[in-house]
Amino acid sequence: MEKKNKNIRSFLSAAIAYSDGLSKGSIVLLCVVSLLCAACNVLVPLLQKKLLEGLDHADNSSIWIMAAIAAAGCLFLMLENFINISIMLRFRRELEDAMFDSLAFKEQPLIREKGAGVFAGAAIGDSEQISRVLAAGWFSIGFNLVGTIISLVITATWELYFLFIVLGAYVLILLAIFFSNQVAVNYFRKEKEMTYTVSSYVREMADTHRSIFTFGSYRAYQELLGDKRDARSRFAGHSERAVALGSAVIRLIQMMAVVMLFFFAANDLRVLSEVERAAKYPMIIALVSYLEAIFAPVGTLNTTYSLAKKFKAFYEPFSEYVVRESLGEVPLDLSLNLHDMSLIQDGSLVLASVNLPVEKVYGVYGLEGEAKHYFLSFLRGEAYPSDGHIAIGGARIYEIEKYLRLGLITFSSAPGDLFERGLEFNVTLGKQLLSDEDYESAWLSYQNALQDFFAHLQEGSAFYRKNMANTRMVLGDFFAFDARHLSSKKLQKEIVSVFEEISDAKRFVEEIGHSVFTRKYAKASRYAALLSELRLESLQEREFGINGKKLTLGDRALVLLARFLLPETKSPFVLLDPLDHLPVEFHNVAVRLLHQSLRGRGGFIFSQDVDMVTELSDEILFFSHGHMVGKGTHEQLKKKHKEYRRIVSSSKIKELPEEPEPTKKRKPVKKTGSPS
């Protein structure tokens, strides 16, 4: 897709892009209510004039009609505000969804450069601001201005000077709105840029405060933010003062318009007789009422223009966050291959050429520091090697859509990847637990849905209304697409083009399809067995806290191990230090369960535990200074490589304790605080 979507260049087109069916219906209703409200504003002064002109008559019907229309106008105004609020909330939800969805299809530069906290603030804060811009009255102001024009036409037939007063006032008001907002928005943009900068420094301080308190002065560090915080406050002050000055000037112009109206009316009345004056008073009172009605849209016009000017500052970075790049490639199967992968950085060799079909369980030994970091980044598709590439199912891994890519290679979770949701969610991550029979039935249904999708693609009917539910389910599972994404004709063509490249649909369904299926479903019996084997039942009533801070390190490690073991998948895997933090009595249990889970799969185990790597690996890859200098079993490498013998000789072969008895439950640890 294009870097910038041409269909979203203004707030109105953005509003259409982020409107669901309910929002569009609300916009239509809002326009109708705004038209009725404008009509009431036009009719009330007319009825005032009629009422005052008929004071000598006994009929009071005009009073009741005017009261009813005035009450209806207030009701319509209230409805207009309520509908605007509803539209704003719908927009906010859609914008937040778009921001959250962006995590599924791209590596967010905002997270990489300024941290997850700044991204979270942008997702919630920017969505809030943009939704207020989109629902700021642009869908009703047009009808209010129509009411203003009709009022001017009516009053122009009464007194021509009134028309010139209003037109002159509006010209001055528009100039005040333009210039005050030019200044205000200029400083607002600077304030927003400084806000992002300050936020990233505050996040950095929160993350590193222990080191600051240990090795430095907190106040000295805080003072480093002083200039930036002062600049942010200065820009905010200039912006607010420009807005306040503009509002004061607009109010002054409106008051001067009233003064001019009375000035011309008084001069007009002086030359009239008493009878003629009495006849003209109702018209003057009606003109004053019309003046208020004619100026009614000014406040909304000022607000909406200001927000429209700010829209670019809000939406430009937001649109960069949520823009979806080309759909890329789709793998044909789960075969993983490293093709002459190497990395040279700043003229130094970090990782030498690695050429390997990943058809076995490989222990990785000797790959440390920067080389290990980039090796894992290449496997995740988050970085590119200098030469060569990694392919899964024939597709270059960094060309595969992020959401699909991360589901094809099973990475063990990092120690802090826990949620404040309880045991079941933290093990399943939302998978639906099914009986063995229901699981097999669900898999059969899923295969049929994928086969139907391929059949519909061949027929050219995948995006027909009758097939859209199945298409949306499949593409939602594979690419995190929803109805908003799939409404794009360009994306539909790209999807058809990508899937036409799949030559063996049956194998794709059995391998890629099954890998995606295991994201959604798991066997309840396997879940229960893992809880029993790893003694996790005692955690079912425990609070986990954010990132599992209320659990011991050992309990966290057991939960993450259960998460890794739960899916019955043949996907390639990357296992990072699987025994770290595990209670010692569970090491043998973990090795046995991992051995069962990894059988028949290809992948990598990174660990300094030679015993465990030897036990679980088919072969060990031995690296030295970024070069893969050996490949074979533990015994083969000991015979062939002196350096390997020297390194592993320092690692003691430990006698692991007996496995804990399955029936014995661990007592929860009582703690007074969270572990560091």
Side-chain angles (χ1 to χ4, degrees):
M1 292 186 180
E2 296 177 3
K3 190 74 174 176
K4 290 186 178 180
N5 192 334
K6 291 183 179 179
N7 295 322
I8 306 178
R9 287 186 172 175
S10 68
F11 48 87
L12 288 176
S13 55
I16 294 170
Y18 288 102
S19 297
D20 56 13
L22 184 60
S23 296
K24 290 172 182 173
S26 298
I27 290 170
V28 173
L29 179 61
L30 177 63
C31 293
V32 173
V33 171
S34 299
L35 181 61
L36 293 173
C37 186
C40 292
N41 290 337
V42 172
L43 289 173
V44 168
L46 275 176
L47 291 172
Q48 283 180 345
K49 183 173 180 289
K50 181 180 179 183
L51 176 65
L52 293 172
E53 288 175 344
L55 286 177
D56 295 335
H57 304 290
D59 185 12
N60 292 325
S61 61
S62 295
I63 295 177
W64 298 113
I65 293 173
M66 185 177 71
I69 292 176
C74 292
L75 177 62
F76 290 139
L77 181 61
M78 181 181 67
L79 285 174
E80 184 178 324
N81 291 331
F82 284 175
I83 295 169
N84 258 322
I85 292 170
S86 174
I87 292 171
M88 186 269 291
L89 294 175
R90 297 292 301 183
F91 278 144
R92 188 176 71 182
R93 180 61 179 266
E94 290 293 314
L95 290 160
E96 287 175 354
D97 285 347
M99 197 69 168
F100 299 151
D101 287 352
S102 71
L103 290 172
F105 56 76
K106 69 186 298 183
E107 299 300 330
Q108 282 292 351
L110 189 62
I111 296 176
R112 184 173 59 252
E113 295 167 8
K114 298 185 178 179
V118 177
F119 175 83
I124 302 301
D126 286 6
S127 298
E128 171 83 20
Q129 296 293 342
I130 295 170
S131 65
R132 290 188 180 279
V133 174
L134 296 178
W138 288 101
F139 303 105
S140 58
I141 194 170
F143 292 100
N144 291 329
L145 290 174
V146 168
T148 297
I149 293 170
I150 293 173
S151 299
L152 283 175
V153 171
I154 292 171
T155 54
T157 61
W158 300 348
E159 291 291 354
L160 199 58
Y161 64 76
F162 183 80
L163 175 63
F164 290 114
I165 290 172
V166 170
L167 290 178
Y170 254 96
V171 169
L172 294 175
I173 286 170
L174 291 176
L175 288 173
I177 289 173
F178 175 78
F179 286 112
S180 64
N181 279 291
Q182 284 290 103
V183 175
V185 172
N186 181 48
Y187 284 114
F188 172 81
R189 286 198 183 99
K190 294 179 180 179
E191 180 205 355
K192 187 168 178 60
E193 291 170 4
M194 195 57 66
T195 298
Y196 277 133
T197 301
V198 171
S199 296
S200 63
Y201 276 103
V202 172
R203 177 198 59 80
E204 181 183 62
M205 182 173 68
D207 288 343
T208 61
H209 69 276
R210 289 185 179 88
S211 293
I212 296 171
F213 296 168
T214 303
F215 297 104
S217 165
Y218 168 65
R219 293 301 175 193
Y221 183 88
Q222 192 178 38
E223 287 173 5
L224 295 176
L225 295 176
D227 291 344
K228 294 177 175 59
R229 292 169 65 192
D230 290 344
R232 176 171 172 263
S233 298
R234 187 167 60 253
F235 293 146
H238 291 336
S239 179
E240 292 299 325
R241 281 189 284 272
V243 170
L245 180 61
S247 298
V249 170
I250 290 170
R251 181 60 183 157
L252 176 63
I253 294 168
Q254 290 175 326
M255 292 175 65
M256 293 306 298
V258 175
V259 171
M260 294 302 295
L261 171 62
F262 279 105
F263 173 78
F264 283 106
N267 285 334
D268 199 16
L269 291 173
R270 284 194 189 99
V271 298
L272 299 179
S273 64
E274 289 293 332
V275 176
E276 290 173 326
R277 288 178 186 175
K280 206 158 188 176
Y281 283 143
M283 181 194 70
I284 294 172
I285 294 173
L287 287 176
V288 174
S289 296
Y290 265 125
L291 197 61
E292 182 180 352
I294 287 169
F295 284 144
V298 168
T300 305
L301 188 63
N302 187 23
T303 301
T304 49
Y305 180 76
S306 174
L307 291 173
K309 293 289 290 181
K310 293 176 181 178
F311 180 79
K312 186 177 180 182
F314 284 124
Y315 191 73
E316 205 167 59
F318 183 91
S319 62
E320 292 294 325
Y321 305 149
V322 302
V323 67
R324 184 181 283 269
E325 307 292 347
S326 172
L327 190 58
E329 301 178 12
V330 174
L332 305 179
D333 52 52
L334 290 173
S335 59
L336 180 63
N337 290 276
L338 279 56
H339 296 283
D340 297 318
M341 185 179 70
S342 62
L343 176 67
I344 297 174
Q345 196 169 48
D346 298 328
S348 300
L349 181 68
V350 176
L351 191 65
S353 180
V354 181
N355 195 48
L356 183 74
V358 187
E359 298 170 344
K360 301 177 181 179
V361 177
Y362 290 107
V364 181
Y365 209 74
L367 195 64
E368 298 296 335
E370 197 173 34
K372 178 182 176 181
H373 166 76
Y374 280 108
F375 190 90
L376 294 174
S377 296
F378 297 156
L379 285 169
R380 290 191 178 99
E382 296 170 356
Y384 315 139
S386 305
D387 294 299
H389 65 276
I390 299 176
I392 183 165
R396 297 185 182 220
I397 198 161
Y398 50 80
E399 294 289 350
I400 301 172
E401 186 89 351
K402 179 184 176 183
Y403 182 69
L404 176 61
R405 179 180 77 231
L406 292 179
L408 296 179
I409 300 180
T410 307
F411 276 79
S412 56
S413 298
D417 288 352
L418 290 167
F419 303 85
E420 200 173 12
R421 297 282 186 88
L423 177 64
E424 182 175 317
F425 180 84
N426 275 286
V427 174
T428 65
L429 290 189
K431 293 182 182 67
Q432 187 177 348
L433 294 174
L434 304 174
S435 67
D436 289 8
E437 183 180 350
D438 288 344
Y439 183 87
E440 297 303 328
S441 176
W443 169 229
L444 181 61
S445 298
Y446 200 76
Q447 290 180 81
N448 292 334
L450 291 175
Q451 289 162 358
D452 288 344
F453 172 69
F454 277 102
H456 296 153
L457 283 176
Q458 290 180 346
E459 296 167 0
S461 62
F463 298 99
Y464 288 4
R465 185 184 295 273
K466 63 179 181 179
N467 299 325
M468 198 59 175
N470 184 67
T471 299
R472 192 157 49 236
M473 184 275 290
V474 170
L475 296 177
D477 289 348
F478 277 72
F479 304 109
F481 286 145
D482 59 16
R484 174 168 47 83
H485 298 121
L486 296 177
S487 63
S488 167
K489 297 296 183 183
K490 183 177 180 181
L491 179 59
Q492 291 179 12
K493 291 179 181 178
E494 193 174 359
I495 290 168
V496 172
S497 175
V498 166
F499 278 93
E500 280 179 346
E501 299 295 321
I502 296 175
S503 56
D504 190 344
K506 184 174 183 295
R507 186 176 181 185
F508 177 89
V509 170
E510 290 175 351
E511 296 193 24
I512 305 297
H514 187 266
S515 179
V516 172
F517 173 80
T518 58
R519 278 178 166 178
K520 300 177 66 176
Y521 304 103
K523 290 182 178 179
S525 59
R526 185 172 177 82
Y527 173 76
L530 287 171
L531 262 56
S532 177
E533 291 266 22
L534 299 174
R535 307 291 179 75
L536 292 171
E537 298 98 328
S538 60
L539 299 182
Q540 288 181 325
E541 303 302 323
R542 289 280 298 278
E543 292 183 6
F544 277 48
I546 297 173
N547 300 130
K549 291 292 179 66
K550 294 184 179 180
L551 302 181
T552 64
L553 290 174
D555 284 341
R556 292 184 218 174
L558 287 169
V559 171
L560 295 176
L561 178 62
R563 180 191 296 174
F564 181 86
L565 294 169
L566 180 63
E568 293 188 343
T569 177
K570 294 300 180 183
S571 297
F573 67 90
V574 176
L575 197 54
L576 301 171
D577 300 310
L579 300 187
D580 274 14
H581 306 304
L582 274 181
V584 175
E585 66 269 24
F586 284 93
H587 281 201
N588 277 344
V589 181
V591 170
R592 174 170 54 79
L593 292 174
L594 285 168
H595 195 278
Q596 294 170 0
S597 176
L598 304 182
R599 189 180 300 134
R601 297 169 67 181
F604 301 99
I605 301 174
F606 288 82
S607 177
Q608 293 300 312
D609 190 324
V610 179
D611 305 335
M612 185 270 297
V613 172
T614 302
E615 176 71 22
L616 293 179
S617 303
D618 298 317
E619 291 184 333
I620 296 173
L621 307 178
F622 178 47
F623 285 82
S624 178
H625 304 293
H627 293 264
M628 191 172 76
V629 295
K631 179 166 77 80
T633 65
H634 175 65
E635 294 301 325
Q636 289 170 345
L637 290 174
K638 281 176 65 177
K639 290 178 182 178
K640 293 180 181 179
H641 294 278
K642 181 179 178 181
E643 187 179 0
Y644 182 82
R645 286 198 305 274
R646 181 181 60 79
I647 292 174
V648 299
S649 64
S650 61
S651 176
K652 295 180 180 179
I653 306 296
K654 299 177 287 293
E655 286 291 332
L656 296 181
E658 296 291 328
E659 293 184 17
E661 295 181 17
T663 55
K664 185 179 178 182
K665 290 188 177 181
R666 295 176 297 119
K667 293 181 179 180
V669 178
K670 292 183 179 180
K671 299 186 300 172
T672 58
S674 301
S676 60

